[in-house]
Amino acid sequence: MSDRLLSVNAYTTLDLLEGEAVAHEFTESAYAVVNATAPRKNPDHVKLEMELDNAELEHLPAHADRVRLTPEQARTIASDLEKYADKVEANLADDE
């Protein structure tokens, strides 16, 4: 990813995912990075970040999206991810 705003290294949660930006006027696809972190000193929130590879985008300027989550909010997202991962995994197992 050229001109990236997020650091991508061995500690990045997920990199090179298939990402998509959807707007009223366009939809663009690109590689994406998703990262979950917390401040190293005195952590008071969980930070969830996502960035699409701007080298692959025509309409969307380089940017990263971030949300600050409380521990409860982070656990709610984690729970939903587990639930939907189980649902997809079960469906994929049925297809075999």
PDB file of all heavy atoms in Angstrom, residues 36-38 43-48 67-84:
ATOM      1  N   ALA A  36      -6.607  -3.823  15.270  1.00  0.00           N
ATOM      2  CA  ALA A  36      -7.174  -3.553  16.590  1.00  0.00           C
ATOM      3  C   ALA A  36      -6.022  -3.357  17.561  1.00  0.00           C
ATOM      4  O   ALA A  36      -5.106  -4.184  17.617  1.00  0.00           O
ATOM      5  CB  ALA A  36      -8.063  -4.703  17.049  1.00  0.00           C
ATOM      6  N   THR A  37      -6.044  -2.259  18.295  1.00  0.00           N
ATOM      7  CA  THR A  37      -4.989  -1.953  19.258  1.00  0.00           C
ATOM      8  C   THR A  37      -5.576  -1.255  20.471  1.00  0.00           C
ATOM      9  O   THR A  37      -6.759  -0.904  20.503  1.00  0.00           O
ATOM     10  CB  THR A  37      -3.909  -1.026  18.653  1.00  0.00           C
ATOM     11  OG1 THR A  37      -4.526   0.196  18.262  1.00  0.00           O
ATOM     12  CG2 THR A  37      -3.203  -1.655  17.472  1.00  0.00           C
ATOM     13  N   ALA A  38      -4.721  -1.036  21.442  1.00  0.00           N
ATOM     14  CA  ALA A  38      -5.038  -0.202  22.600  1.00  0.00           C
ATOM     15  C   ALA A  38      -3.764   0.580  22.915  1.00  0.00           C
ATOM     16  O   ALA A  38      -2.662   0.120  22.594  1.00  0.00           O
ATOM     17  CB  ALA A  38      -5.456  -1.059  23.791  1.00  0.00           C
ATOM     18  N   PRO A  43      -3.938   2.279  28.944  1.00  0.00           N
ATOM     19  CA  PRO A  43      -4.988   2.028  27.943  1.00  0.00           C
ATOM     20  C   PRO A  43      -6.373   2.365  28.495  1.00  0.00           C
ATOM     21  O   PRO A  43      -6.746   1.913  29.576  1.00  0.00           O
ATOM     22  CB  PRO A  43      -4.838   0.538  27.635  1.00  0.00           C
ATOM     23  CG  PRO A  43      -4.087  -0.039  28.776  1.00  0.00           C
ATOM     24  CD  PRO A  43      -3.250   1.058  29.359  1.00  0.00           C
ATOM     25  N   ASP A  44      -7.090   3.187  27.756  1.00  0.00           N
ATOM     26  CA  ASP A  44      -8.433   3.577  28.177  1.00  0.00           C
ATOM     27  C   ASP A  44      -9.481   3.300  27.106  1.00  0.00           C
ATOM     28  O   ASP A  44     -10.645   3.646  27.261  1.00  0.00           O
ATOM     29  CB  ASP A  44      -8.468   5.054  28.569  1.00  0.00           C
ATOM     30  CG  ASP A  44      -8.105   5.976  27.413  1.00  0.00           C
ATOM     31  OD1 ASP A  44      -7.605   5.479  26.372  1.00  0.00           O
ATOM     32  OD2 ASP A  44      -8.322   7.188  27.553  1.00  0.00           O
ATOM     33  N   HIS A  45      -9.069   2.683  25.991  1.00  0.00           N
ATOM     34  CA  HIS A  45     -10.003   2.350  24.916  1.00  0.00           C
ATOM     35  C   HIS A  45      -9.341   1.330  23.993  1.00  0.00           C
ATOM     36  O   HIS A  45      -8.130   1.127  24.044  1.00  0.00           O
ATOM     37  CB  HIS A  45     -10.399   3.593  24.117  1.00  0.00           C
ATOM     38  CG  HIS A  45      -9.260   4.193  23.347  1.00  0.00           C
ATOM     39  ND1 HIS A  45      -8.321   5.027  23.925  1.00  0.00           N
ATOM     40  CD2 HIS A  45      -8.888   4.074  22.042  1.00  0.00           C
ATOM     41  CE1 HIS A  45      -7.435   5.396  23.018  1.00  0.00           C
ATOM     42  NE2 HIS A  45      -7.755   4.823  21.863  1.00  0.00           N
ATOM     43  N   VAL A  46     -10.162   0.701  23.173  1.00  0.00           N
ATOM     44  CA  VAL A  46      -9.691  -0.169  22.100  1.00  0.00           C
ATOM     45  C   VAL A  46      -9.876   0.614  20.815  1.00  0.00           C
ATOM     46  O   VAL A  46     -10.917   1.246  20.612  1.00  0.00           O
ATOM     47  CB  VAL A  46     -10.493  -1.495  22.043  1.00  0.00           C
ATOM     48  CG1 VAL A  46     -10.101  -2.324  20.839  1.00  0.00           C
ATOM     49  CG2 VAL A  46     -10.334  -2.272  23.337  1.00  0.00           C
ATOM     50  N   LYS A  47      -8.873   0.600  19.962  1.00  0.00           N
ATOM     51  CA  LYS A  47      -8.960   1.327  18.692  1.00  0.00           C
ATOM     52  C   LYS A  47      -9.059   0.308  17.562  1.00  0.00           C
ATOM     53  O   LYS A  47      -8.232  -0.593  17.452  1.00  0.00           O
ATOM     54  CB  LYS A  47      -7.729   2.213  18.504  1.00  0.00           C
ATOM     55  CG  LYS A  47      -7.754   3.028  17.231  1.00  0.00           C
ATOM     56  CD  LYS A  47      -6.667   4.097  17.174  1.00  0.00           C
ATOM     57  CE  LYS A  47      -5.310   3.563  17.471  1.00  0.00           C
ATOM     58  NZ  LYS A  47      -4.235   4.572  17.301  1.00  0.00           N
ATOM     59  N   LEU A  48     -10.078   0.439  16.738  1.00  0.00           N
ATOM     60  CA  LEU A  48     -10.262  -0.401  15.560  1.00  0.00           C
ATOM     61  C   LEU A  48     -10.084   0.495  14.342  1.00  0.00           C
ATOM     62  O   LEU A  48     -10.746   1.531  14.225  1.00  0.00           O
ATOM     63  CB  LEU A  48     -11.652  -1.041  15.579  1.00  0.00           C
ATOM     64  CG  LEU A  48     -11.979  -2.007  14.455  1.00  0.00           C
ATOM     65  CD1 LEU A  48     -11.046  -3.212  14.490  1.00  0.00           C
ATOM     66  CD2 LEU A  48     -13.425  -2.469  14.568  1.00  0.00           C
ATOM     67  N   VAL A  67     -12.379   3.844  14.945  1.00  0.00           N
ATOM     68  CA  VAL A  67     -13.382   3.988  15.999  1.00  0.00           C
ATOM     69  C   VAL A  67     -12.723   3.669  17.336  1.00  0.00           C
ATOM     70  O   VAL A  67     -11.856   2.802  17.427  1.00  0.00           O
ATOM     71  CB  VAL A  67     -14.627   3.087  15.788  1.00  0.00           C
ATOM     72  CG1 VAL A  67     -15.437   3.550  14.604  1.00  0.00           C
ATOM     73  CG2 VAL A  67     -14.254   1.642  15.638  1.00  0.00           C
ATOM     74  N   ARG A  68     -13.122   4.424  18.358  1.00  0.00           N
ATOM     75  CA  ARG A  68     -12.667   4.166  19.722  1.00  0.00           C
ATOM     76  C   ARG A  68     -13.772   3.389  20.418  1.00  0.00           C
ATOM     77  O   ARG A  68     -14.931   3.825  20.426  1.00  0.00           O
ATOM     78  CB  ARG A  68     -12.419   5.485  20.459  1.00  0.00           C
ATOM     79  CG  ARG A  68     -11.192   6.219  19.986  1.00  0.00           C
ATOM     80  CD  ARG A  68     -11.086   7.582  20.645  1.00  0.00           C
ATOM     81  NE  ARG A  68     -11.017   7.500  22.088  1.00  0.00           N
ATOM     82  CZ  ARG A  68     -10.000   7.934  22.809  1.00  0.00           C
ATOM     83  NH1 ARG A  68      -8.960   8.493  22.215  1.00  0.00           N
ATOM     84  NH2 ARG A  68     -10.011   7.840  24.117  1.00  0.00           N
ATOM     85  N   LEU A  69     -13.417   2.260  20.999  1.00  0.00           N
ATOM     86  CA  LEU A  69     -14.389   1.381  21.632  1.00  0.00           C
ATOM     87  C   LEU A  69     -14.092   1.225  23.114  1.00  0.00           C
ATOM     88  O   LEU A  69     -12.924   1.139  23.517  1.00  0.00           O
ATOM     89  CB  LEU A  69     -14.333  -0.011  20.981  1.00  0.00           C
ATOM     90  CG  LEU A  69     -14.533  -0.071  19.474  1.00  0.00           C
ATOM     91  CD1 LEU A  69     -14.157  -1.453  18.954  1.00  0.00           C
ATOM     92  CD2 LEU A  69     -15.965   0.264  19.119  1.00  0.00           C
ATOM     93  N   THR A  70     -15.160   1.151  23.899  1.00  0.00           N
ATOM     94  CA  THR A  70     -14.997   0.760  25.294  1.00  0.00           C
ATOM     95  C   THR A  70     -14.732  -0.744  25.315  1.00  0.00           C
ATOM     96  O   THR A  70     -15.000  -1.438  24.315  1.00  0.00           O
ATOM     97  CB  THR A  70     -16.270   1.051  26.105  1.00  0.00           C
ATOM     98  OG1 THR A  70     -17.332   0.222  25.593  1.00  0.00           O
ATOM     99  CG2 THR A  70     -16.675   2.525  26.021  1.00  0.00           C
ATOM    100  N   PRO A  71     -14.246  -1.288  26.424  1.00  0.00           N
ATOM    101  CA  PRO A  71     -14.082  -2.742  26.486  1.00  0.00           C
ATOM    102  C   PRO A  71     -15.382  -3.483  26.194  1.00  0.00           C
ATOM    103  O   PRO A  71     -15.385  -4.493  25.478  1.00  0.00           O
ATOM    104  CB  PRO A  71     -13.608  -2.985  27.918  1.00  0.00           C
ATOM    105  CG  PRO A  71     -12.888  -1.725  28.280  1.00  0.00           C
ATOM    106  CD  PRO A  71     -13.694  -0.627  27.611  1.00  0.00           C
ATOM    107  N   GLU A  72     -16.504  -2.979  26.698  1.00  0.00           N
ATOM    108  CA  GLU A  72     -17.795  -3.620  26.442  1.00  0.00           C
ATOM    109  C   GLU A  72     -18.145  -3.600  24.955  1.00  0.00           C
ATOM    110  O   GLU A  72     -18.604  -4.603  24.394  1.00  0.00           O
ATOM    111  CB  GLU A  72     -18.896  -2.934  27.249  1.00  0.00           C
ATOM    112  CG  GLU A  72     -20.259  -3.565  27.059  1.00  0.00           C
ATOM    113  CD  GLU A  72     -21.352  -2.864  27.847  1.00  0.00           C
ATOM    114  OE1 GLU A  72     -21.055  -1.946  28.627  1.00  0.00           O
ATOM    115  OE2 GLU A  72     -22.515  -3.252  27.664  1.00  0.00           O
ATOM    116  N   GLN A  73     -17.932  -2.478  24.302  1.00  0.00           N
ATOM    117  CA  GLN A  73     -18.209  -2.390  22.865  1.00  0.00           C
ATOM    118  C   GLN A  73     -17.304  -3.326  22.065  1.00  0.00           C
ATOM    119  O   GLN A  73     -17.759  -3.988  21.130  1.00  0.00           O
ATOM    120  CB  GLN A  73     -18.019  -0.950  22.381  1.00  0.00           C
ATOM    121  CG  GLN A  73     -19.064   0.012  22.907  1.00  0.00           C
ATOM    122  CD  GLN A  73     -18.686   1.460  22.694  1.00  0.00           C
ATOM    123  OE1 GLN A  73     -17.503   1.813  22.653  1.00  0.00           O
ATOM    124  NE2 GLN A  73     -19.694   2.318  22.570  1.00  0.00           N
ATOM    125  N   ALA A  74     -16.037  -3.411  22.435  1.00  0.00           N
ATOM    126  CA  ALA A  74     -15.109  -4.314  21.747  1.00  0.00           C
ATOM    127  C   ALA A  74     -15.558  -5.768  21.912  1.00  0.00           C
ATOM    128  O   ALA A  74     -15.508  -6.555  20.971  1.00  0.00           O
ATOM    129  CB  ALA A  74     -13.694  -4.127  22.286  1.00  0.00           C
ATOM    130  N   ARG A  75     -16.010  -6.114  23.106  1.00  0.00           N
ATOM    131  CA  ARG A  75     -16.492  -7.487  23.343  1.00  0.00           C
ATOM    132  C   ARG A  75     -17.779  -7.767  22.566  1.00  0.00           C
ATOM    133  O   ARG A  75     -18.001  -8.884  22.101  1.00  0.00           O
ATOM    134  CB  ARG A  75     -16.689  -7.726  24.826  1.00  0.00           C
ATOM    135  CG  ARG A  75     -15.388  -7.859  25.569  1.00  0.00           C
ATOM    136  CD  ARG A  75     -15.588  -8.264  27.020  1.00  0.00           C
ATOM    137  NE  ARG A  75     -14.308  -8.336  27.682  1.00  0.00           N
ATOM    138  CZ  ARG A  75     -13.778  -7.345  28.414  1.00  0.00           C
ATOM    139  NH1 ARG A  75     -14.437  -6.205  28.580  1.00  0.00           N
ATOM    140  NH2 ARG A  75     -12.600  -7.499  28.975  1.00  0.00           N
ATOM    141  N   THR A  76     -18.635  -6.764  22.406  1.00  0.00           N
ATOM    142  CA  THR A  76     -19.858  -6.936  21.620  1.00  0.00           C
ATOM    143  C   THR A  76     -19.505  -7.230  20.163  1.00  0.00           C
ATOM    144  O   THR A  76     -20.066  -8.140  19.549  1.00  0.00           O
ATOM    145  CB  THR A  76     -20.753  -5.683  21.712  1.00  0.00           C
ATOM    146  OG1 THR A  76     -21.141  -5.504  23.078  1.00  0.00           O
ATOM    147  CG2 THR A  76     -21.984  -5.810  20.841  1.00  0.00           C
ATOM    148  N   ILE A  77     -18.557  -6.483  19.606  1.00  0.00           N
ATOM    149  CA  ILE A  77     -18.120  -6.743  18.234  1.00  0.00           C
ATOM    150  C   ILE A  77     -17.489  -8.119  18.131  1.00  0.00           C
ATOM    151  O   ILE A  77     -17.776  -8.881  17.200  1.00  0.00           O
ATOM    152  CB  ILE A  77     -17.142  -5.652  17.755  1.00  0.00           C
ATOM    153  CG1 ILE A  77     -17.906  -4.347  17.540  1.00  0.00           C
ATOM    154  CG2 ILE A  77     -16.426  -6.074  16.467  1.00  0.00           C
ATOM    155  CD1 ILE A  77     -17.028  -3.166  17.218  1.00  0.00           C
ATOM    156  N   ALA A  78     -16.634  -8.465  19.091  1.00  0.00           N
ATOM    157  CA  ALA A  78     -15.983  -9.785  19.082  1.00  0.00           C
ATOM    158  C   ALA A  78     -17.019 -10.899  19.135  1.00  0.00           C
ATOM    159  O   ALA A  78     -16.903 -11.901  18.421  1.00  0.00           O
ATOM    160  CB  ALA A  78     -15.005  -9.898  20.251  1.00  0.00           C
ATOM    161  N   SER A  79     -18.048 -10.722  19.937  1.00  0.00           N
ATOM    162  CA  SER A  79     -19.113 -11.720  20.049  1.00  0.00           C
ATOM    163  C   SER A  79     -19.857 -11.880  18.729  1.00  0.00           C
ATOM    164  O   SER A  79     -20.137 -12.999  18.286  1.00  0.00           O
ATOM    165  CB  SER A  79     -20.082 -11.324  21.169  1.00  0.00           C
ATOM    166  OG  SER A  79     -21.184 -12.190  21.212  1.00  0.00           O
ATOM    167  N   ASP A  80     -20.186 -10.768  18.093  1.00  0.00           N
ATOM    168  CA  ASP A  80     -20.870 -10.834  16.797  1.00  0.00           C
ATOM    169  C   ASP A  80     -19.973 -11.474  15.741  1.00  0.00           C
ATOM    170  O   ASP A  80     -20.440 -12.258  14.911  1.00  0.00           O
ATOM    171  CB  ASP A  80     -21.302  -9.447  16.336  1.00  0.00           C
ATOM    172  CG  ASP A  80     -22.692  -9.074  16.832  1.00  0.00           C
ATOM    173  OD1 ASP A  80     -23.294  -9.854  17.597  1.00  0.00           O
ATOM    174  OD2 ASP A  80     -23.177  -7.990  16.449  1.00  0.00           O
ATOM    175  N   LEU A  81     -18.695 -11.153  15.745  1.00  0.00           N
ATOM    176  CA  LEU A  81     -17.779 -11.779  14.795  1.00  0.00           C
ATOM    177  C   LEU A  81     -17.734 -13.289  14.992  1.00  0.00           C
ATOM    178  O   LEU A  81     -17.762 -14.049  14.012  1.00  0.00           O
ATOM    179  CB  LEU A  81     -16.374 -11.179  14.933  1.00  0.00           C
ATOM    180  CG  LEU A  81     -16.201  -9.759  14.399  1.00  0.00           C
ATOM    181  CD1 LEU A  81     -14.845  -9.207  14.819  1.00  0.00           C
ATOM    182  CD2 LEU A  81     -16.360  -9.721  12.896  1.00  0.00           C
ATOM    183  N   GLU A  82     -17.687 -13.739  16.234  1.00  0.00           N
ATOM    184  CA  GLU A  82     -17.695 -15.178  16.529  1.00  0.00           C
ATOM    185  C   GLU A  82     -18.987 -15.826  16.036  1.00  0.00           C
ATOM    186  O   GLU A  82     -18.968 -16.883  15.403  1.00  0.00           O
ATOM    187  CB  GLU A  82     -17.534 -15.429  18.031  1.00  0.00           C
ATOM    188  CG  GLU A  82     -16.157 -15.183  18.553  1.00  0.00           C
ATOM    189  CD  GLU A  82     -15.179 -16.288  18.200  1.00  0.00           C
ATOM    190  OE1 GLU A  82     -15.608 -17.399  17.810  1.00  0.00           O
ATOM    191  OE2 GLU A  82     -13.969 -16.044  18.316  1.00  0.00           O
ATOM    192  N   LYS A  83     -20.116 -15.170  16.312  1.00  0.00           N
ATOM    193  CA  LYS A  83     -21.425 -15.708  15.912  1.00  0.00           C
ATOM    194  C   LYS A  83     -21.512 -15.861  14.397  1.00  0.00           C
ATOM    195  O   LYS A  83     -21.904 -16.914  13.888  1.00  0.00           O
ATOM    196  CB  LYS A  83     -22.539 -14.781  16.434  1.00  0.00           C
ATOM    197  CG  LYS A  83     -23.935 -15.189  16.013  1.00  0.00           C
ATOM    198  CD  LYS A  83     -25.003 -14.308  16.629  1.00  0.00           C
ATOM    199  CE  LYS A  83     -24.953 -12.913  16.073  1.00  0.00           C
ATOM    200  NZ  LYS A  83     -26.026 -12.033  16.569  1.00  0.00           N
ATOM    201  N   TYR A  84     -21.125 -14.822  13.672  1.00  0.00           N
ATOM    202  CA  TYR A  84     -21.224 -14.887  12.213  1.00  0.00           C
ATOM    203  C   TYR A  84     -20.153 -15.780  11.600  1.00  0.00           C
ATOM    204  O   TYR A  84     -20.390 -16.411  10.570  1.00  0.00           O
ATOM    205  CB  TYR A  84     -21.224 -13.482  11.613  1.00  0.00           C
ATOM    206  CG  TYR A  84     -22.520 -12.766  11.933  1.00  0.00           C
ATOM    207  CD1 TYR A  84     -22.536 -11.662  12.773  1.00  0.00           C
ATOM    208  CD2 TYR A  84     -23.726 -13.234  11.440  1.00  0.00           C
ATOM    209  CE1 TYR A  84     -23.726 -11.027  13.091  1.00  0.00           C
ATOM    210  CE2 TYR A  84     -24.924 -12.606  11.756  1.00  0.00           C
ATOM    211  CZ  TYR A  84     -24.919 -11.504  12.575  1.00  0.00           C
ATOM    212  OH  TYR A  84     -26.100 -10.882  12.893  1.00  0.00           O
TER     213      TYR A  84
END
